[in-house]
Amino acid sequence: MRLGFLASNNGSGMRAVVSAIEAGELEARACVVISNRRQAPALAFGREHGVETLFIPTVPDAAAADRRLAEALGDASVDWVLLAGYLRKLGPVTLAAFRDRILNIHPSLLPRFGGQGMYGRRVHEAVIASGDTVSGASVHLVDEEYDHGAVTAELFEKLVMAAETGLYVDLLKRLCAQKTVSTISDNIS
């Protein structure tokens, strides 16, 4: 299985997958890491682990970036595209080229607390503000829409991130075994 990763920052999900590949736990190959931020730590991690890295800015020309992104993923012959904290909505060219082969991990149980602007600590703050006592992470196929005592947001974020990074590895193991996947969720309480 050939994997491409899109990350705007640290790429914690990507790091977990690459570590599982290197440990022999996942029969896959990390082919490319692409970021819309030149200084994203995910790019440095990719280089340190021998993975091709690319910087494709999405501003000021999102349409050109969309075409370039689809081309780069195609050139790397990826089977699956994994969003690892990629903070840009994908364009129609990339979505069409990789339809039903783009996965995102979202730090809440969807459909609650998803949508435009709901990422990172914002999600955890919204969960806490709602009074919910259970949260988790969801892996979903990407389409044209966004994400279809006291606990602080910082601590809650750390707990969810620890569970969330393992979801990609588990999902990819299932895909390697040719099992059907729609949405996999883990609960944290």
Side-chain angles (χ1 to χ4, degrees):
M1 178 183 303
R2 296 176 59 84
L3 306 175
F5 300 92
L6 306 182
S8 293
N9 292 302
N10 204 35
S12 57
M14 173 207 62
R15 291 169 185 256
V17 172
V18 170
S19 294
I21 292 169
E22 291 174 348
E25 298 171 8
L26 180 63
E27 190 176 328
R29 179 172 176 216
C31 296
V32 65
V33 178
I34 302 171
S35 182
N36 60 314
R37 293 185 53 232
R38 185 181 305 278
Q39 300 303 321
L43 294 176
F45 178 87
R47 285 189 294 272
E48 290 166 8
H49 291 264
V51 181
E52 177 186 358
T53 60
L54 293 169
F55 162 62
I56 300 177
T58 53
V59 177
D61 191 345
D66 180 29
R67 289 188 302 274
R68 178 66 185 110
L69 183 59
E71 178 183 302
L73 292 166
D75 288 349
S77 300
V78 301
D79 299 309
W80 288 92
V81 179
L82 280 65
L83 277 61
Y86 191 66
L87 301 179
R88 292 289 180 208
K89 189 172 184 180
L90 295 178
V93 176
T94 302
L95 288 169
F98 294 92
R99 179 139 335 267
D100 296 328
R101 296 188 295 137
I102 304 172
L103 299 170
N104 184 45
I105 191 161
H106 183 78
S108 77
L109 299 176
L110 292 174
R112 291 184 53 88
F113 311 110
Q116 186 172 2
M118 292 301 286
Y119 61 88
R121 187 165 292 157
R122 293 177 183 184
V123 174
H124 308 299
E125 289 169 344
V127 170
I128 290 169
S130 78
D132 282 1
T133 58
V134 175
S135 189
S138 300
V139 175
H140 65 92
L141 290 168
V142 174
D143 61 18
E144 292 80 7
E145 297 181 39
Y146 284 106
D147 307 321
H148 256 108
V151 178
T152 67
E154 181 179 354
L155 175 58
F156 202 65
E157 179 181 35
K158 288 178 183 176
L159 291 170
V160 172
M161 188 176 286
E164 155 182 326
T165 55
L167 280 174
Y168 263 152
V169 174
D170 183 54
L171 176 71
L172 292 168
K173 285 179 182 177
R174 293 180 194 199
L175 287 172
C176 283
Q178 300 296 319
K179 294 184 180 176
T180 303
V181 176
S182 57
T183 299
I184 298 172
S185 298
D186 268 354
N187 293 331
I188 299 171
S189 47

